[in-house]
Amino acid sequence: MNAPIELPGVWAEVGQSHPHESAILHVLGSATYADDVTELHGTLHAALGLSQQAHASFTQIDLAAVRASAGVVAVFTAADIAGVNDCGPILHDDPVFADGLVQYVGQPLFVVVADTHDNARRAARLAQVDYTVLPAHLTAASAHAAKSYVLPPMRLQRGDFQRKFAAAPHHATGTLSVGGQEQFYLEGQIAYAIPKENRAMLVLCSTQHPSEMQHVVAHVLGLQSHHVTVECRRMGGGFGGKESQSALWAAAAALSAAALQRPVKLRADRDDDMLVTGKRHCFDYDYAVGYDDDGRIVAAKVEMVLRAGYSADLSGPVATRAICHVDNAYYLSDVDLSAVCAKTNTQSNTAFRGFGGPQGALAIEYAIDEIARTLGRDALDIRRLNFYGDSGRDTTPYGQQLDDNVIHALVAELDDSSQYRQRRVAVNAFNASSPLLKKGLAITPVKFGIAFNVNHLNQAGALVHVYVDGSVLVNHGGTEMGQGIHTKVMQVVAQELGIALAHVRVTATDTSKIANTSATAASTGADLNGKAAQDAARQIRDRLATFAAGQYGVPASEVRFADGRVLVAGQSLAFADVVAKAYLARVQLWSDGFYATPGLHWDAASMTGHPFSYYAYGAAVSEVLVDTLTGEWKLLRADALYDAGQSLNPAIDIGQVEGAFIQGMGWLTTEELCWNKDGKLTTHAPSTYKIPTVSDCPEDFRVKLFTNRNVSDSIHRSKAVGEPPLLLPFSVFFAIRDAVSSVGGHRIHPPLHAPATSEEILNAIEAVQLAAGAV
Ligand code: MTE
Ligand code: HPA
Ligand code: MOS
């Protein structure tokens, strides 16, 4: 009786390169960030008073001059905290305000609230503190030597490293140090706290983790979570720096607002932001790798010392991820991998794009680079030889079996498309005839595990409202930091309901809408919240299908939603018309949705299990030109190939790969954190801390997505893209090392550490020249 339904052939909202939902607003300057929200009448402004000592006890803070300063309304210290003086995410070793003990230069002692931002900042500097100076550990090495740690050590062993290493015909051993990195989000930390009736508090906060902010604010104020609402429409970047460390700012603003019963805004000045907040962990490594005559690794030991800073923050999960990424794309049969989190009198280091993964993987790449040089082989051949492979060579040191390995095909494609082999010959020819300018070339792979390595965080919720006019409002637990999560979630909902993206809108992340959310982190934002939103949208669609099918007496399974139409019983009805009719028939047109990633488990004691839902893969080739007289260098060309599975939005994913590549390049080359002998961070502004700019981007930058489909049942078989491409610029670092190594005829391993600043490059060149001369 019913004609078969004609499905529109190629209709799809997912998989399309839609612009970022706020792209036009960004360009017009009309996208509202926390500081752009029109201030309420009576709003006050806050600033933090910071410790001038790296480690000292104190009994008293003399605040007389602060209180007397122009425009000051109030000052609050640890003594004024009604609830708990703590904003630590896991352990409770992070006071909001130092209480009798300061542990780094820049640690907040008090908050001063004034009529203007400038008056608050001026007053904050006027406190007198009677410090009794204590000995400080300013480097991870010094803390490690004193066995001063924020957490117990971690170790993952498989097989018999000792025996395999001893029996190996060749050994690559050495040390490496890799610097930290400032997140340098363009919008600094900010919280705007607005008291509401009956003790409630609304906090507009630039944060990746609204639920955690809610939790911390409630604790600090001595309230229940239901008193506190945290909202975030968007961040001007987070990069991990607003996963836990937005808490201090939220807490300080909220406690001021609660005490004064007036709205209080706390916006960090850039220098304060850099002095107060933690960064990517710098790592010191000791490595020992045994390998055979072909370059195949038979044993690997990597000991890592992380600079945790004064408190634990997220250092535990960061160290865990580092250990779980030492293997990168390589099968390591017999390993001894360990990490300690050194307690230093510096900022408490925290999440930063990659979350320890980049630091873990860099160590094995460094060793492989040396294996290739020792054997006189191209590093690509050694990398390939060691890639994960078929059964027997497909299980990670922590016991997860790879069922989605595409590294061979991906690297083969990149090898071809980048003309790596031909360019290697050309680079050698160039170097033979160029005594001072030297070229370098490198290709490096990436394998990155996707999921929070803390199991319970792998869950998400969403709320989808379909209004009577057929328009759709979506709310989910993820936060927008520029990465495009809202655009992707909108696409998922549009796809599910068969409507155009223009009819879907995402609203600010809000703890009063979705409860108990995880941080938008671990690259899982779109994976988790996309699935939750799909679940919600699907429930509404199913109800609409049942309703429409009932009208025509056909099975609900025959109803289709596509192209803004509902196809039923040979009829094509406008989506909005079906919605309007369903409303009159009292069909529920909104739904919640939930998702919890299946199949994950992890045993922290043995460091084994199945911590990742799947792996994302990638590879990049970089070619650099190094001036051996000045250490200056230029990235001539970069080719990157990234596995985003069936990409939800190729344009956004390519943007993520490009951004992560340049950000990772900055970490490994120009971005250098320096502390002076008193423990003060001296690189606390863009004048002294060099992030990449547009002129550092390669003129020839070829970024492609690898054709693939997630083996795992991820959202539309896509793969995460936020963090893994940060490892692609390993190729830049090793291209620089290659160029430096050419100075010694590729016989000496350049002792190049990261960041490979011009100074570091010159030192490495000198070391190679000295060693080459001595041979
Ligand atoms: N992209 C932009 N533009 N800004 C950011 O702050 N953060 C990165 C990445 N890409 C970031 C970004 C980090 S650290 C993570 S974990 C992911 O985005 C988080 O978003 P997702 O899980 O939705 O990809
Ligand atoms: N990434 C980011 N944040 C986290 C993680 C992770 O893997 N695990 C716990 N918090
Ligand atoms: Mo990203 S470091 O997991 O916020």
Side-chain angles (χ1 to χ4, degrees):
M1 174 184 127
N2 297 314
I5 290 165
E6 288 290 318
L7 275 181
V10 291
W11 188 87
E13 285 293 9
V14 297
Q16 307 295 316
S17 284
H18 290 288
H20 191 287
E21 43 81 25
S22 292
I24 291 174
L25 305 184
H26 292 153
V27 173
L28 293 176
S30 53
T32 35
Y33 296 83
D35 204 26
D36 300 320
V37 173
T38 308
E39 282 170 15
L40 290 167
H41 179 69
T43 293
L44 296 169
H45 300 267
L48 300 176
L50 308 181
S51 162
Q52 304 301 315
Q53 291 292 334
H55 195 197
S57 61
F58 65 93
T59 48
Q60 228 201 323
I61 312 175
D62 180 353
L63 294 165
V66 181
R67 289 206 167 92
S69 188
V72 169
V73 175
V75 186
F76 303 105
T77 66
D80 300 302
I81 292 175
V84 200
N85 181 17
D86 166 53
C87 58
I90 303 175
L91 300 188
H92 300 292
D93 55 353
D94 260 306
V96 178
F97 298 129
D99 193 2
L101 180 73
V102 290
Q103 300 193 75
Y104 70 100
V105 177
Q107 182 167 4
L109 292 158
F110 61 89
V111 60
V112 49
V113 185
D115 55 347
T116 67
H117 176 75
D118 284 350
N119 277 341
R121 289 199 68 218
R122 251 180 231 118
R125 299 194 191 114
L126 303 177
Q128 297 291 325
V129 188
D130 63 337
Y131 293 114
T132 303
V133 174
L134 302 168
H137 290 299
L138 297 181
T139 63
S142 126
H144 182 41
K147 295 202 163 21
S148 168
Y149 306 123
V150 293
L151 293 164
M154 292 178 193
R155 192 165 181 187
L156 166 57
Q157 291 175 279
R158 175 168 74 175
D160 188 344
F161 166 79
Q162 282 293 349
R163 198 172 57 80
K164 291 289 178 61
F165 183 78
H170 307 279
H171 298 139
T173 59
T175 60
L176 170 65
S177 71
V178 172
Q181 186 181 21
E182 163 62 37
Q183 288 85 0
F184 223 105
Y185 24 67
L186 290 185
E187 176 207 33
Q189 302 276 0
I190 179 166
Y192 183 28
I194 302 162
K196 296 281 180 180
E197 67 173 33
N198 199 8
R199 304 176 76 202
M201 185 64 66
L202 169 66
V203 187
L204 309 183
C205 185
S206 184
T207 181
Q208 294 172 238
H209 203 344
S211 284
E212 171 84 1
M213 300 309 104
Q214 176 194 25
H215 176 86
V216 167
V217 166
H219 266 69
V220 169
L221 299 189
L223 299 174
Q224 300 183 65
S225 286
H226 68 197
H227 288 112
V228 181
T229 301
V230 176
E231 188 187 306
C232 176
R233 171 57 186 92
R234 60 170 64 77
M235 285 161 271
F239 305 110
K242 295 170 182 169
E243 181 171 342
S244 62
Q245 300 212 0
S246 42
L248 166 72
W249 313 86
L255 84 90
S256 307
L260 296 169
Q261 283 301 301
R262 284 176 68 175
V264 175
K265 186 190 279 187
L266 175 54
R267 169 164 63 83
D269 167 84
R270 177 68 59 183
D271 300 74
D272 286 353
D273 194 316
M274 291 180 76
L275 282 168
V276 172
T277 62
K279 300 145 205 327
R280 182 188 295 287
H281 295 70
C282 56
F283 273 51
D284 294 324
Y285 312 78
D286 255 300
Y287 60 90
V289 175
Y291 58 97
D292 67 16
D293 294 338
D294 297 328
R296 188 172 279 216
I297 295 171
V298 295
K301 176 174 181 170
V302 180
E303 294 172 324
M304 300 182 270
V305 181
L306 292 68
R307 176 201 283 269
Y310 84 96
S311 72
D313 189 82
L314 301 170
S315 295
V318 166
T320 304
R321 186 170 279 275
I323 286 181
C324 292
H325 282 77
V326 168
D327 59 328
N328 195 17
Y330 311 111
Y331 175 67
L332 304 176
S333 58
D334 296 73
V335 296
D336 183 354
L337 311 174
S338 60
V340 290
C341 298
K343 176 172 173 152
T344 54
N345 292 103
T346 49
Q347 294 79 1
S348 187
N349 285 330
T350 189
F352 193 141
R353 205 169 195 171
F355 204 78
Q359 293 97 316
L362 194 64
I364 200 72
E365 294 297 347
Y366 203 78
I368 287 190
D369 188 61
E370 299 192 346
I371 294 172
R373 194 172 296 104
T374 302
L375 296 179
R377 300 271 306 279
D378 194 294
L380 173 56
D381 297 329
I382 305 301
R383 292 195 157 98
R384 261 200 182 122
L385 186 70
N386 283 288
F387 281 163
Y388 278 104
D390 298 335
S391 91
R393 290 181 59 84
D394 61 354
T395 306
T396 63
Y398 48 89
Q400 178 160 348
Q401 199 177 354
L402 270 59
D403 58 0
D404 59 8
N405 185 7
V406 293
I407 198 66
H408 294 270
L410 191 150
V411 166
E413 184 180 326
L414 185 69
D415 177 7
D416 242 34
S417 65
S418 69
Q419 300 195 294
Y420 174 80
R421 301 288 176 178
Q422 293 92 315
R423 286 164 66 200
R424 169 65 68 202
V425 174
V427 162
N428 288 344
F430 175 91
N431 287 344
S433 63
S434 174
L436 296 178
L437 296 179
K438 296 289 185 188
K439 283 189 177 178
L441 183 70
I443 179 167
T444 55
V446 178
K447 168 185 128 286
F448 195 90
I450 303 300
F452 282 98
N453 57 15
V454 174
N455 222 331
H456 71 268
L457 299 177
N458 296 290
Q459 58 173 308
L463 202 52
V464 173
H465 292 179
V466 176
Y467 293 105
V468 177
D469 68 351
S471 67
V472 178
L473 197 68
V474 183
N475 194 273
H476 62 86
T479 55
E480 177 64 50
M481 56 196 101
Q483 87 279 34
I485 188 173
H486 286 350
T487 314
K488 289 181 174 180
V489 171
M490 282 161 64
Q491 288 177 264
V492 167
V493 170
Q495 177 76 32
E496 219 52 37
L497 298 176
I499 58 178
L501 204 56
H503 299 298
V504 184
R505 202 177 158 97
V506 172
T507 52
T509 317
D510 182 335
T511 56
S512 69
K513 295 215 168 99
I514 311 295
N516 313 324
T517 56
S518 296
T520 307
S523 304
T524 60
D527 285 31
L528 298 174
N529 294 284
K531 276 280 195 186
Q534 183 184 46
D535 176 39
R538 194 165 277 177
Q539 292 180 49
I540 301 168
R541 191 196 61 190
D542 287 350
R543 286 185 209 130
L544 287 171
T546 304
F547 166 73
Q551 303 274 300
Y552 290 90
V554 296
S557 59
E558 286 179 11
V559 182
R560 293 285 176 274
F561 294 76
D563 210 10
R565 316 293 300 176
V566 179
L567 308 173
V568 55
Q571 307 285 314
S572 167
L573 314 170
F575 178 79
D577 291 344
V578 175
V579 164
K581 290 205 176 91
Y583 165 73
L584 293 175
R586 296 185 294 172
V587 174
Q588 185 185 342
L589 292 174
W590 56 272
S591 177
D592 62 337
F594 183 74
Y595 181 72
T597 316
L600 304 175
H601 57 92
W602 179 245
D603 178 50
S606 64
M607 301 200 80
T608 56
H610 192 102
F612 302 120
S613 180
Y614 60 87
Y615 296 92
Y617 299 84
V621 179
S622 292
E623 182 175 345
V624 300
L625 182 65
V626 175
D627 181 333
T628 60
L629 291 182
T630 65
E632 288 168 291
W633 61 278
K634 198 171 158 48
L635 177 56
L636 300 174
R637 172 175 163 186
D639 295 52
L641 186 58
Y642 182 72
D643 162 30
Q646 268 180 193
S647 169
L648 287 171
N649 185 323
I652 282 181
D653 286 354
I654 284 174
Q656 283 289 297
V657 176
E658 290 172 346
F661 187 102
I662 298 299
Q663 190 168 43
M665 180 179 88
W667 167 47
L668 293 171
T669 59
T670 62
E671 296 183 38
E672 187 175 28
L673 294 164
C674 301
W675 288 266
N676 71 13
K677 62 172 183 20
D678 301 322
K680 180 173 183 189
L681 180 72
T682 53
T683 49
H684 53 74
S687 53
T688 43
Y689 185 77
K690 175 73 179 85
I691 60 168
T693 57
V694 70
S695 58
D696 299 306
C697 299
E699 246 166 63
D700 194 350
F701 197 9
R702 309 183 191 193
V703 175
K704 280 208 197 100
L705 300 179
F706 180 67
T707 305
N708 199 18
R709 181 173 191 273
N710 201 339
V711 169
S712 224
D713 178 25
S714 61
I715 185 74
H716 292 286
R717 302 281 170 173
S718 65
K719 290 194 181 185
V721 69
E723 297 170 289
L726 191 123
L727 289 78
L728 294 172
F730 283 11
S731 55
V732 176
F733 180 79
F734 288 107
I736 292 173
R737 199 176 188 211
D738 183 50
V740 172
S741 137
S742 74
V743 168
H746 296 294
R747 284 169 300 137
I748 315 288
H749 301 307
L752 187 72
H753 301 274
T757 59
S758 293
E759 188 181 358
E760 176 65 21
I761 291 171
L762 276 186
N763 285 338
I765 290 171
E766 190 177 66
V768 168
Q769 283 166 337
L770 277 173
V775 182

